[in-house]
mmCIF file of all heavy atoms in Angstrom:
data_model
loop_
_atom_site.group_PDB
_atom_site.id
_atom_site.type_symbol
_atom_site.label_atom_id
_atom_site.label_comp_id
_atom_site.label_asym_id
_atom_site.label_seq_id
_atom_site.Cartn_x
_atom_site.Cartn_y
_atom_site.Cartn_z
ATOM 1 N N GLU U 85 105.593 143.610 110.316
ATOM 2 C CA GLU U 85 104.526 142.752 110.829
ATOM 3 C C GLU U 85 103.540 142.400 109.726
ATOM 4 O O GLU U 85 103.112 141.249 109.594
ATOM 5 C CB GLU U 85 103.794 143.459 111.972
ATOM 6 C CG GLU U 85 102.693 142.625 112.608
ATOM 7 C CD GLU U 85 102.006 143.350 113.754
ATOM 8 O OE1 GLU U 85 102.309 144.535 114.003
ATOM 9 O OE2 GLU U 85 101.148 142.721 114.409
ATOM 10 N N ARG U 86 103.193 143.384 108.897
ATOM 11 C CA ARG U 86 102.242 143.135 107.816
ATOM 12 C C ARG U 86 102.834 142.153 106.802
ATOM 13 O O ARG U 86 102.131 141.274 106.308
ATOM 14 C CB ARG U 86 101.874 144.461 107.138
ATOM 15 C CG ARG U 86 100.852 144.309 106.031
ATOM 16 C CD ARG U 86 99.999 145.555 105.855
ATOM 17 N NE ARG U 86 100.771 146.714 105.423
ATOM 18 C CZ ARG U 86 100.198 147.916 105.183
ATOM 19 N NH1 ARG U 86 98.893 148.078 105.350
ATOM 20 N NH2 ARG U 86 100.927 148.938 104.800
ATOM 21 N N MET U 87 104.130 142.289 106.502
ATOM 22 C CA MET U 87 104.753 141.350 105.581
ATOM 23 C C MET U 87 104.825 139.951 106.183
ATOM 24 O O MET U 87 104.590 138.953 105.500
ATOM 25 C CB MET U 87 106.149 141.822 105.192
ATOM 26 C CG MET U 87 106.815 140.927 104.148
ATOM 27 S SD MET U 87 108.265 141.664 103.385
ATOM 28 C CE MET U 87 108.646 140.395 102.163
ATOM 29 N N SER U 88 105.153 139.862 107.465
ATOM 30 C CA SER U 88 105.229 138.559 108.142
ATOM 31 C C SER U 88 103.878 137.861 108.124
ATOM 32 O O SER U 88 103.784 136.665 107.849
ATOM 33 C CB SER U 88 105.703 138.744 109.585
ATOM 34 O OG SER U 88 107.003 139.287 109.632
ATOM 35 N N ASN U 89 102.814 138.616 108.415
ATOM 36 C CA ASN U 89 101.472 138.035 108.383
ATOM 37 C C ASN U 89 101.097 137.580 106.978
ATOM 38 O O ASN U 89 100.488 136.523 106.792
ATOM 39 C CB ASN U 89 100.445 139.050 108.896
ATOM 40 C CG ASN U 89 100.534 139.274 110.394
ATOM 41 O OD1 ASN U 89 100.933 138.391 111.136
ATOM 42 N ND2 ASN U 89 100.185 140.474 110.840
ATOM 43 N N GLY U 90 101.459 138.386 105.979
ATOM 44 C CA GLY U 90 101.157 138.032 104.600
ATOM 45 C C GLY U 90 101.881 136.769 104.162
ATOM 46 O O GLY U 90 101.313 135.916 103.470
ATOM 47 N N MET U 91 103.131 136.637 104.565
ATOM 48 C CA MET U 91 103.897 135.442 104.223
ATOM 49 C C MET U 91 103.307 134.203 104.887
ATOM 50 O O MET U 91 103.171 133.155 104.259
ATOM 51 C CB MET U 91 105.364 135.632 104.638
ATOM 52 C CG MET U 91 106.129 136.617 103.770
ATOM 53 S SD MET U 91 107.787 136.975 104.408
ATOM 54 C CE MET U 91 108.525 135.325 104.410
ATOM 55 N N LEU U 92 102.970 134.331 106.179
ATOM 56 C CA LEU U 92 102.428 133.186 106.906
ATOM 57 C C LEU U 92 101.095 132.746 106.321
ATOM 58 O O LEU U 92 100.850 131.545 106.129
ATOM 59 C CB LEU U 92 102.264 133.544 108.381
ATOM 60 C CG LEU U 92 101.789 132.411 109.308
ATOM 61 C CD1 LEU U 92 102.794 131.272 109.313
ATOM 62 C CD2 LEU U 92 101.583 132.934 110.734
ATOM 63 N N MET U 93 100.228 133.696 105.995
ATOM 64 C CA MET U 93 98.916 133.373 105.442
ATOM 65 C C MET U 93 99.023 132.697 104.073
ATOM 66 O O MET U 93 98.145 131.925 103.681
ATOM 67 C CB MET U 93 98.073 134.651 105.323
ATOM 68 C CG MET U 93 97.601 135.207 106.653
ATOM 69 S SD MET U 93 96.729 136.791 106.459
ATOM 70 C CE MET U 93 95.329 136.271 105.446
ATOM 71 N N ASN U 94 100.099 132.979 103.356
ATOM 72 C CA ASN U 94 100.275 132.394 102.025
ATOM 73 C C ASN U 94 101.252 131.225 102.018
ATOM 74 O O ASN U 94 101.673 130.777 100.944
ATOM 75 C CB ASN U 94 100.749 133.471 101.046
ATOM 76 C CG ASN U 94 99.654 134.450 100.691
ATOM 77 O OD1 ASN U 94 98.825 134.184 99.824
ATOM 78 N ND2 ASN U 94 99.632 135.599 101.372
ATOM 79 N N GLY U 95 101.616 130.732 103.206
ATOM 80 C CA GLY U 95 102.469 129.553 103.297
ATOM 81 C C GLY U 95 103.900 129.787 102.892
ATOM 82 O O GLY U 95 104.622 128.838 102.541
ATOM 83 N N LEU U 96 104.366 131.044 102.942
ATOM 84 C CA LEU U 96 105.744 131.369 102.575
ATOM 85 C C LEU U 96 106.552 131.490 103.860
ATOM 86 O O LEU U 96 106.531 132.517 104.536
ATOM 87 C CB LEU U 96 105.789 132.671 101.788
ATOM 88 C CG LEU U 96 105.029 132.672 100.457
ATOM 89 C CD1 LEU U 96 104.986 134.080 99.869
ATOM 90 C CD2 LEU U 96 105.674 131.711 99.473
ATOM 91 N N LEU U 97 107.260 130.431 104.199
ATOM 92 C CA LEU U 97 107.987 130.373 105.456
ATOM 93 C C LEU U 97 109.467 130.596 105.216
ATOM 94 O O LEU U 97 109.997 130.296 104.152
ATOM 95 C CB LEU U 97 107.755 129.022 106.136
ATOM 96 C CG LEU U 97 106.279 128.635 106.328
ATOM 97 C CD1 LEU U 97 106.179 127.282 107.009
ATOM 98 C CD2 LEU U 97 105.543 129.687 107.137
ATOM 99 N N GLY U 98 110.154 131.132 106.243
ATOM 100 C CA GLY U 98 111.577 131.385 106.114
ATOM 101 C C GLY U 98 111.847 132.854 105.863
ATOM 102 O O GLY U 98 111.030 133.725 106.152
ATOM 103 N N THR U 99 113.014 133.147 105.288
ATOM 104 C CA THR U 99 113.411 134.516 105.050
ATOM 105 C C THR U 99 112.689 135.088 103.830
ATOM 106 O O THR U 99 112.071 134.355 103.051
ATOM 107 C CB THR U 99 114.924 134.596 104.795
ATOM 108 O OG1 THR U 99 115.223 133.874 103.587
ATOM 109 C CG2 THR U 99 115.706 134.006 105.967
ATOM 110 N N ALA U 100 112.795 136.404 103.658
ATOM 111 C CA ALA U 100 112.200 137.030 102.482
ATOM 112 C C ALA U 100 112.856 136.519 101.212
ATOM 113 O O ALA U 100 112.198 136.323 100.182
ATOM 114 C CB ALA U 100 112.348 138.550 102.582
ATOM 115 N N GLN U 101 114.159 136.277 101.283
ATOM 116 C CA GLN U 101 114.866 135.756 100.109
ATOM 117 C C GLN U 101 114.366 134.362 99.757
ATOM 118 O O GLN U 101 114.180 134.028 98.578
ATOM 119 C CB GLN U 101 116.376 135.723 100.382
ATOM 120 C CG GLN U 101 117.213 135.315 99.170
ATOM 121 C CD GLN U 101 118.696 135.409 99.453
ATOM 122 O OE1 GLN U 101 119.119 135.790 100.539
ATOM 123 N NE2 GLN U 101 119.508 135.072 98.464
ATOM 124 N N ALA U 102 114.144 133.532 100.786
ATOM 125 C CA ALA U 102 113.616 132.188 100.538
ATOM 126 C C ALA U 102 112.220 132.256 99.955
ATOM 127 O O ALA U 102 111.865 131.500 99.036
ATOM 128 C CB ALA U 102 113.618 131.381 101.834
ATOM 129 N N ALA U 103 111.395 133.165 100.481
ATOM 130 C CA ALA U 103 110.038 133.325 99.965
ATOM 131 C C ALA U 103 110.062 133.793 98.516
ATOM 132 O O ALA U 103 109.247 133.364 97.693
ATOM 133 C CB ALA U 103 109.270 134.326 100.827
ATOM 134 N N MET U 104 111.016 134.659 98.186
ATOM 135 C CA MET U 104 111.144 135.129 96.808
ATOM 136 C C MET U 104 111.462 133.975 95.882
ATOM 137 O O MET U 104 110.997 133.923 94.734
ATOM 138 C CB MET U 104 112.235 136.193 96.719
ATOM 139 C CG MET U 104 112.251 136.975 95.420
ATOM 140 S SD MET U 104 110.807 138.051 95.208
ATOM 141 C CE MET U 104 111.208 139.403 96.309
ATOM 142 N N GLY U 105 112.241 133.025 96.392
ATOM 143 C CA GLY U 105 112.560 131.850 95.581
ATOM 144 C C GLY U 105 111.373 130.927 95.408
ATOM 145 O O GLY U 105 111.211 130.300 94.355
ATOM 146 N N GLN U 106 110.507 130.832 96.443
ATOM 147 C CA GLN U 106 109.331 129.971 96.361
ATOM 148 C C GLN U 106 108.287 130.540 95.401
ATOM 149 O O GLN U 106 107.716 129.819 94.589
ATOM 150 C CB GLN U 106 108.695 129.818 97.757
ATOM 151 C CG GLN U 106 109.563 129.124 98.796
ATOM 152 C CD GLN U 106 108.927 129.164 100.176
ATOM 153 O OE1 GLN U 106 107.763 128.794 100.363
ATOM 154 N NE2 GLN U 106 109.672 129.643 101.168
ATOM 155 N N ASN U 107 108.022 131.825 95.526
ATOM 156 C CA ASN U 107 106.978 132.459 94.713
ATOM 157 C C ASN U 107 107.299 133.946 94.575
ATOM 158 O O ASN U 107 106.814 134.771 95.347
ATOM 159 C CB ASN U 107 105.597 132.266 95.354
ATOM 160 C CG ASN U 107 104.466 132.612 94.408
ATOM 161 O OD1 ASN U 107 104.576 133.513 93.592
ATOM 162 N ND2 ASN U 107 103.357 131.899 94.541
ATOM 163 N N PRO U 108 108.123 134.300 93.596
ATOM 164 C CA PRO U 108 108.584 135.695 93.494
ATOM 165 C C PRO U 108 107.474 136.715 93.281
ATOM 166 O O PRO U 108 107.512 137.795 93.865
ATOM 167 C CB PRO U 108 109.538 135.655 92.292
ATOM 168 C CG PRO U 108 109.217 134.408 91.558
ATOM 169 C CD PRO U 108 108.722 133.441 92.579
ATOM 170 N N THR U 109 106.478 136.387 92.457
ATOM 171 C CA THR U 109 105.406 137.348 92.183
ATOM 172 C C THR U 109 104.584 137.618 93.432
ATOM 173 O O THR U 109 104.314 138.778 93.783
ATOM 174 C CB THR U 109 104.485 136.836 91.062
ATOM 175 O OG1 THR U 109 105.259 136.629 89.878
ATOM 176 C CG2 THR U 109 103.383 137.841 90.770
ATOM 177 N N LEU U 110 104.183 136.551 94.120
ATOM 178 C CA LEU U 110 103.388 136.704 95.338
ATOM 179 C C LEU U 110 104.177 137.434 96.403
ATOM 180 O O LEU U 110 103.655 138.324 97.085
ATOM 181 C CB LEU U 110 102.942 135.329 95.844
ATOM 182 C CG LEU U 110 102.144 135.302 97.154
ATOM 183 C CD1 LEU U 110 100.871 136.126 97.031
ATOM 184 C CD2 LEU U 110 101.809 133.861 97.553
ATOM 185 N N THR U 111 105.441 137.074 96.570
ATOM 186 C CA THR U 111 106.275 137.713 97.591
ATOM 187 C C THR U 111 106.449 139.195 97.305
ATOM 188 O O THR U 111 106.415 140.028 98.218
ATOM 189 C CB THR U 111 107.650 137.031 97.664
ATOM 190 O OG1 THR U 111 107.485 135.634 97.915
ATOM 191 C CG2 THR U 111 108.499 137.639 98.777
ATOM 192 N N GLN U 112 106.614 139.544 96.033
ATOM 193 C CA GLN U 112 106.744 140.947 95.659
ATOM 194 C C GLN U 112 105.477 141.723 96.010
ATOM 195 O O GLN U 112 105.546 142.837 96.540
ATOM 196 C CB GLN U 112 107.023 141.055 94.155
ATOM 197 C CG GLN U 112 107.126 142.481 93.619
ATOM 198 C CD GLN U 112 108.439 143.144 93.968
ATOM 199 O OE1 GLN U 112 109.348 142.500 94.481
ATOM 200 N NE2 GLN U 112 108.535 144.440 93.701
ATOM 201 N N ASN U 113 104.323 141.125 95.737
ATOM 202 C CA ASN U 113 103.051 141.783 96.066
ATOM 203 C C ASN U 113 102.888 141.965 97.567
ATOM 204 O O ASN U 113 102.432 143.012 98.043
ATOM 205 C CB ASN U 113 101.882 140.981 95.496
ATOM 206 C CG ASN U 113 101.790 141.072 93.988
ATOM 207 O OD1 ASN U 113 102.270 142.029 93.384
ATOM 208 N ND2 ASN U 113 101.182 140.073 93.370
ATOM 209 N N ILE U 114 103.243 140.925 98.335
ATOM 210 C CA ILE U 114 103.161 141.010 99.795
ATOM 211 C C ILE U 114 104.097 142.101 100.313
ATOM 212 O O ILE U 114 103.749 142.874 101.208
ATOM 213 C CB ILE U 114 103.510 139.649 100.438
ATOM 214 C CG1 ILE U 114 102.434 138.610 100.096
ATOM 215 C CG2 ILE U 114 103.653 139.789 101.952
ATOM 216 C CD1 ILE U 114 102.788 137.204 100.530
ATOM 217 N N MET U 115 105.285 142.166 99.721
ATOM 218 C CA MET U 115 106.274 143.165 100.133
ATOM 219 C C MET U 115 105.756 144.582 99.891
ATOM 220 O O MET U 115 105.841 145.448 100.763
ATOM 221 C CB MET U 115 107.577 142.955 99.374
ATOM 222 C CG MET U 115 108.674 143.950 99.726
ATOM 223 S SD MET U 115 110.112 143.763 98.661
ATOM 224 C CE MET U 115 109.446 144.382 97.097
ATOM 225 N N LEU U 116 105.188 144.824 98.714
ATOM 226 C CA LEU U 116 104.682 146.152 98.403
ATOM 227 C C LEU U 116 103.523 146.531 99.330
ATOM 228 O O LEU U 116 103.410 147.675 99.771
ATOM 229 C CB LEU U 116 104.242 146.225 96.942
ATOM 230 C CG LEU U 116 105.369 146.134 95.906
ATOM 231 C CD1 LEU U 116 104.793 146.136 94.499
ATOM 232 C CD2 LEU U 116 106.369 147.272 96.074
ATOM 233 N N GLN U 117 102.653 145.560 99.621
ATOM 234 C CA GLN U 117 101.561 145.820 100.549
ATOM 235 C C GLN U 117 102.093 146.117 101.952
ATOM 236 O O GLN U 117 101.544 146.954 102.668
ATOM 237 C CB GLN U 117 100.613 144.633 100.577
ATOM 238 C CG GLN U 117 99.809 144.466 99.291
ATOM 239 C CD GLN U 117 98.937 143.228 99.302
ATOM 240 O OE1 GLN U 117 98.833 142.539 100.313
ATOM 241 N NE2 GLN U 117 98.315 142.926 98.172
ATOM 242 N N ALA U 118 103.168 145.413 102.334
ATOM 243 C CA ALA U 118 103.775 145.655 103.646
ATOM 244 C C ALA U 118 104.321 147.071 103.741
ATOM 245 O O ALA U 118 104.223 147.725 104.780
ATOM 246 C CB ALA U 118 104.896 144.643 103.899
ATOM 247 N N PHE U 119 104.895 147.563 102.640
ATOM 248 C CA PHE U 119 105.419 148.920 102.625
ATOM 249 C C PHE U 119 104.306 149.954 102.536
ATOM 250 O O PHE U 119 104.532 151.147 102.737
ATOM 251 C CB PHE U 119 106.364 149.118 101.428
ATOM 252 C CG PHE U 119 107.578 148.248 101.460
ATOM 253 C CD1 PHE U 119 108.301 148.002 100.313
ATOM 254 C CD2 PHE U 119 108.018 147.654 102.640
ATOM 255 C CE1 PHE U 119 109.428 147.196 100.324
ATOM 256 C CE2 PHE U 119 109.138 146.843 102.672
ATOM 257 C CZ PHE U 119 109.848 146.614 101.515
ATOM 258 N N GLY U 120 103.087 149.485 102.215
ATOM 259 C CA GLY U 120 101.978 150.405 102.045
ATOM 260 C C GLY U 120 101.849 150.907 100.632
ATOM 261 O O GLY U 120 101.176 151.908 100.387
ATOM 262 N N VAL U 121 102.506 150.239 99.673
ATOM 263 C CA VAL U 121 102.494 150.689 98.289
ATOM 264 C C VAL U 121 101.448 149.928 97.504
ATOM 265 O O VAL U 121 101.468 148.699 97.435
ATOM 266 C CB VAL U 121 103.876 150.488 97.629
ATOM 267 C CG1 VAL U 121 103.837 150.929 96.165
ATOM 268 C CG2 VAL U 121 104.932 151.265 98.383
ATOM 269 N N GLY U 122 100.511 150.657 96.914
ATOM 270 C CA GLY U 122 99.482 150.045 96.086
ATOM 271 C C GLY U 122 99.769 150.240 94.614
ATOM 272 O O GLY U 122 100.911 150.465 94.213
ATOM 273 N N GLY U 123 98.745 150.166 93.795
ATOM 274 C CA GLY U 123 98.900 150.325 92.362
ATOM 275 C C GLY U 123 99.451 151.690 92.003
ATOM 276 O O GLY U 123 99.047 152.712 92.551
ATOM 277 N N GLU U 124 100.419 151.716 91.097
ATOM 278 C CA GLU U 124 101.069 152.946 90.649
ATOM 279 C C GLU U 124 101.587 153.777 91.833
ATOM 280 O O GLU U 124 101.491 155.005 91.868
ATOM 281 C CB GLU U 124 100.123 153.783 89.775
ATOM 282 C CG GLU U 124 99.696 153.066 88.497
ATOM 283 C CD GLU U 124 98.807 153.929 87.631
ATOM 284 O OE1 GLU U 124 98.473 155.056 88.069
ATOM 285 O OE2 GLU U 124 98.458 153.499 86.523
ATOM 286 N N LEU U 125 102.126 153.073 92.806
ATOM 287 C CA LEU U 125 102.738 153.699 93.975
ATOM 288 C C LEU U 125 101.748 154.506 94.818
ATOM 289 O O LEU U 125 102.114 155.461 95.494
ATOM 290 C CB LEU U 125 103.922 154.581 93.557
ATOM 291 C CG LEU U 125 105.109 153.821 92.955
ATOM 292 C CD1 LEU U 125 106.211 154.786 92.575
ATOM 293 C CD2 LEU U 125 105.647 152.773 93.910
#
C-alpha cells in the first residue's frame, strides 16, 4: 500500500517494472520506503 501510494503521488502508473523504466532512481527510493528501509538499512 505504501509503495502504491508513493507511485501514485509521483505519477508513476502501471507495474513496478514499468515505473522502474520511467524513473529508476525514484522508483527504487519509493520501493525502499515501502519496505521500511531507510538510509544504511
